[in-house]
C-alpha cells in the first residue's frame, strides 16, 4: 500500500466551461454557497496543523475551475512558501491562464496540467460549451504562455470519447514530438453525464497505445508527478505520453491521495463517498486542531480498507456517481 501524502484541493465547484463529460449544459447542479467555501485562512490552518503533521506534503489545486476563485494567486504564494511543501501543482481548463500564468509562476507555482481535448476549435467548442469568442484559442494562448514562462513539466489532459475526439489521438500525441510536453490520455469515466457515457462508451488506454505504437512505436518512460499515469514516449520525441486507465485497470492499491472539497469535506476515494468527513464544521465550531487531526488520522488508517472495497466493486460497479468531477475536485 502506498503512503498517502498527496492532497487534491478543490478551490471552487463552479466552472466557466460546461464540458459534456463533466458538467453538461442543462444539468441541474447544486453549487456550494460561497459562505461555505473554506477560506484561505482555514485552508492554510488545515494544511499546517492537520495535513502536514500527518505527512501530506504534495498538493494540487483544482476545482471546478480553480482560476475562478478570487485571490487564488495569493493562496499559491502562501502554500509554496510553507517549508513542508514539496510539490505544488494546478489543474485548469486554461481559459484564464494567459493572463495569470506569470503571476502564478512568480508566486512559486512550477507545475500545471491543462485540459485540452481537441486541436480543432469547433470540436473543442462543442465539447466545452458556450458561445462567442473561440474558447480553444484562449486555451491555446494559455498553453503557449505557460510554455514560454517555463512551467515544467507542462501536462495536457485529454479525455477520449469515441466519435467525439478519438480520431484526434495521433494529432494530440504528435504534440510531444517537438515539445517537451506531457500529453495524458484519461479514460472516460461514467461520472458527470451517464447519458454521454452509455451512448458513446469509452476507449481503453491499451487501444490508444496500439494506435500510437502502430504509427511511431512506443517505449516506456518517466515524468515528474504524483499521478497514476503509465508513462511512455514516442522514440526520438522531446515529450512524453501518459495513460490514466482507471476504467480498464484498477489502481486503487497504488492510491496515494485524498481530496478536499471546496466546502471542506475530506474524501478518501474519488469513486465513492465512504468515510468522508466534514472538516469545516468542527473548524468553525472551534474544535481543537488536535481533535481534527485525530479524525483525519483515523480516516487515513481506514483508507486501505476503503481502497480494497472499491477495488472489489470496480469503477463501473460502484454506482456512486451522484457528484460530478467538478463537485468532487477532479
Ligand atoms: N477545470 C479544470 C480542468 O478541467 O482541468 C480542473 C477540474 S476537472 C474536474 C479535472 C479533470 O477531470 C480534467 O482533466 C477533466 O478532463 C477530468 N474529468 C472530468 N470529468 C471526467 C470524466 N467523466 N471522465 C474522465 N475525466 C474527467
Ligand atoms: Fe469545468 Fe474542468 Fe469540468 Fe470542464 S472538466 S466542466 S473545465 S471543471
Amino acid at each position: 500500500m502506498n503512503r498517502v501524502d498527496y492532497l487534491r484541493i478543490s478551490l471552487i465547484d463552479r466552472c466557466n466551461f460546461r464540458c459534456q463529460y463533466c458538467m453538461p449544459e442543462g444539468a441541474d447542479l447544486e453549487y456550494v454557497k460561497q459562505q461555505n467555501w473554506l477560506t484561505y485562512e482555514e485552508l492554510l490552518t488545515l494544511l499546517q496543523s492537520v495535513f502536514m503533521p500527518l505527512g501530506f506534503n504534495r498538493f494540487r489545486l483544482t476545482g471546478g475551475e480553480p482560476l475562478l476563485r478570487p485571490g487564488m494567486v495569493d493562496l499559491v504564494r502562501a502554500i509554496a512558501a510553507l517549508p513542508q511543501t514539496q510539490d505544488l501543482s494546478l489543474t485548469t481548463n486554461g481559459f484564464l491562464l494567459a493572463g495569470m500564468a506569470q503571476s502564478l509562476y512568480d508566486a512559486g507555482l512550477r507545475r500545471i496540467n491543462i485540459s485540452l481535448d481537441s486541436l480543432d476549435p469547433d470540436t473543442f467548442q462543442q465539447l466545452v460549451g458556450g458561445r462567442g469568442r473561440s474558447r480553444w484559442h484562449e486555451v491555446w494562448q494559455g498553453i503557449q504562455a505557460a510554455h514560454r514562462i517555463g512551467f515544467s513539466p507542462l501536462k495536457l489532459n485529454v479525455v477520449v470519447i469515441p466519435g467525439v475526439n478519438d480520431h484526434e489521438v495521433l494529432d494530440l500525441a504528435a504534440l510531444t514530438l517537438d515539445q517537451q510536453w506531457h500529453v495524458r490520455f484519461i479514460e472516460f469515466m461514467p461520472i458527470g453525464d451517464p447519458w454521454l457515457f452509455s451512448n458513446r462508451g469509452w476507449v481503453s488506454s491499451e487501444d490508444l497505445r496500439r494506435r500510437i505504437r502502430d504509427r511511431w512505436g512506443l517505449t516506456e518512460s518517466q515524468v515528474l508527478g504524483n499521478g497514476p499515469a503509465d508513462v511512455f514516449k514516442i522514440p526520438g520525441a522531446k515529450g512524453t505520453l501518459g495513460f490514466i486507465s482507471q476504467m480498464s485497470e484498477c489502481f486503487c492499491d497504488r492510491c496515494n491521495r485524498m481530496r478536499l472539497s471546496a466546502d471542506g469535506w475530506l474524501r478518501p476515494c474519488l469513486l465513492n463517498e465512504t468515510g468522508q468527513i466534514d472538516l469545516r464544521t468542527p473548524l468553525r465550531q472551534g474544535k481543537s486542531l488536535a481533535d481534527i487531526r485525530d479524525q483525519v488520522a483515523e480516516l487515513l488508517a481506514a483508507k486501505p480498507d476503503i481502497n480494497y472495497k472499491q477495488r472489489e466493486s470496480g469503477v463501473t460497479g460502484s454506482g456512486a456517481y451522484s457528484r460530478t468531477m467538478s463537485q468532487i475536485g477532479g
Side-chain angles (χ1 to χ4, degrees):
M1 183 62 61
N2 274 332
R3 199 175 118 90
V4 178
D5 59 2
Y6 176 37
L7 186 67
R8 295 176 70 100
I9 304 167
S10 173
L11 296 185
I12 187 166
D13 58 349
R14 299 163 202 215
C15 190
N16 42 1
F17 281 9
R18 285 288 173 276
C19 298
Q20 285 183 30
Y21 53 75
C22 180
M23 302 170 84
E25 308 246 21
D28 191 14
L29 293 176
E30 219 176 278
Y31 295 116
V32 170
K33 290 197 183 79
Q34 199 162 337
Q35 71 258 32
N36 290 338
W37 292 350
L38 285 178
T39 64
Y40 291 155
E41 206 186 350
E42 288 168 336
L43 200 43
L44 288 166
T45 300
L46 286 174
L47 290 186
Q48 286 180 283
S49 303
V50 174
F51 289 102
M52 288 174 166
L54 292 172
F56 286 84
N57 51 26
R58 302 184 289 155
F59 307 101
R60 174 173 295 277
L61 304 178
T62 180
E65 176 44 41
L67 298 188
L68 288 180
R69 176 90 187 246
M72 62 83 65
V73 175
D74 294 330
L75 179 72
V76 166
R77 186 175 301 105
I79 300 177
L82 295 173
Q84 297 92 332
T85 301
Q86 284 187 10
D87 184 44
L88 177 63
S89 53
L90 170 81
T91 302
T92 171
N93 63 28
F95 187 67
L96 298 173
L97 188 59
M100 294 178 71
Q102 188 65 58
S103 321
L104 287 164
Y105 192 87
D106 294 345
L109 188 74
R110 292 292 177 270
R111 300 209 297 115
I112 297 195
N113 291 16
I114 304 160
S115 294
L116 183 76
D117 297 318
S118 174
L119 290 171
D120 174 59
D122 293 331
T123 306
F124 188 79
Q125 194 93 13
Q126 275 170 26
L127 254 169
V128 306
R131 285 165 211 91
R133 293 171 67 197
S134 162
R135 294 185 156 197
W136 186 88
H137 288 98
E138 300 284 334
V139 172
W140 190 248
Q141 276 180 20
I143 293 170
Q144 296 296 335
H147 173 71
R148 245 188 344 267
I149 289 164
F151 284 95
S152 174
L154 188 64
K155 297 188 181 179
L156 303 180
N157 286 346
V158 183
V159 177
V160 182
I161 304 178
V164 175
N165 63 348
D166 73 318
H167 60 287
E168 292 190 58
V169 163
L170 292 182
D171 293 336
L172 286 155
L175 291 175
T176 65
L177 294 174
D178 301 324
Q179 308 283 3
Q180 255 185 348
W181 293 350
H182 177 72
V183 174
R184 303 199 315 168
F185 295 105
I186 304 173
E187 287 177 352
F188 179 28
M189 286 185 287
I191 298 183
D193 187 354
W195 183 88
L196 186 70
F197 185 86
S198 49
N199 275 277
R200 295 286 186 183
W202 56 284
V203 191
S204 73
S205 296
E206 189 43 48
D207 185 347
L208 301 180
R209 281 198 290 268
R210 184 188 42 74
R211 295 190 215 174
I212 297 169
R213 199 180 288 118
D214 287 351
R215 171 74 177 78
W216 291 289
L218 263 186
T219 52
E220 285 189 22
S221 186
Q222 281 184 330
V223 72
L224 178 71
N226 303 309
D230 296 313
V231 182
F232 292 81
K233 194 179 173 78
I234 296 171
K238 287 191 176 159
T240 47
L241 295 166
F243 297 87
I244 303 192
S245 318
Q246 68 286 354
M247 293 294 291
S248 59
E249 184 197 313
C250 175
F251 41 72
C252 298
D253 52 353
R254 286 194 269 148
C255 182
N256 61 353
R257 63 200 54 200
M258 288 207 190
R259 292 180 158 79
L260 185 63
S261 71
D263 55 346
W265 281 84
L266 181 65
R267 184 176 172 124
C269 174
L270 168 69
L271 297 171
N272 71 70
E273 291 172 0
T274 315
Q276 62 175 348
I277 48 176
D278 171 16
L279 302 184
R280 174 179 47 89
T281 306
L283 192 64
R284 291 195 180 167
Q285 284 171 348
K287 193 167 176 182
S288 85
L289 290 166
D291 285 350
I292 298 177
R293 193 164 56 237
D294 286 348
Q295 258 190 296
V296 174
E298 255 175 57
L299 189 56
L300 269 172
K303 186 164 160 59
D305 194 41
I306 294 170
N307 294 356
Y308 176 77
K309 289 197 177 120
Q310 181 58 47
R311 189 190 167 87
E312 292 301 288
S313 67
V315 172
T316 46
S318 69
Y321 301 113
S322 52
R323 303 192 100 195
T324 65
M325 289 286 270
S326 63
Q327 291 169 315
I328 301 164

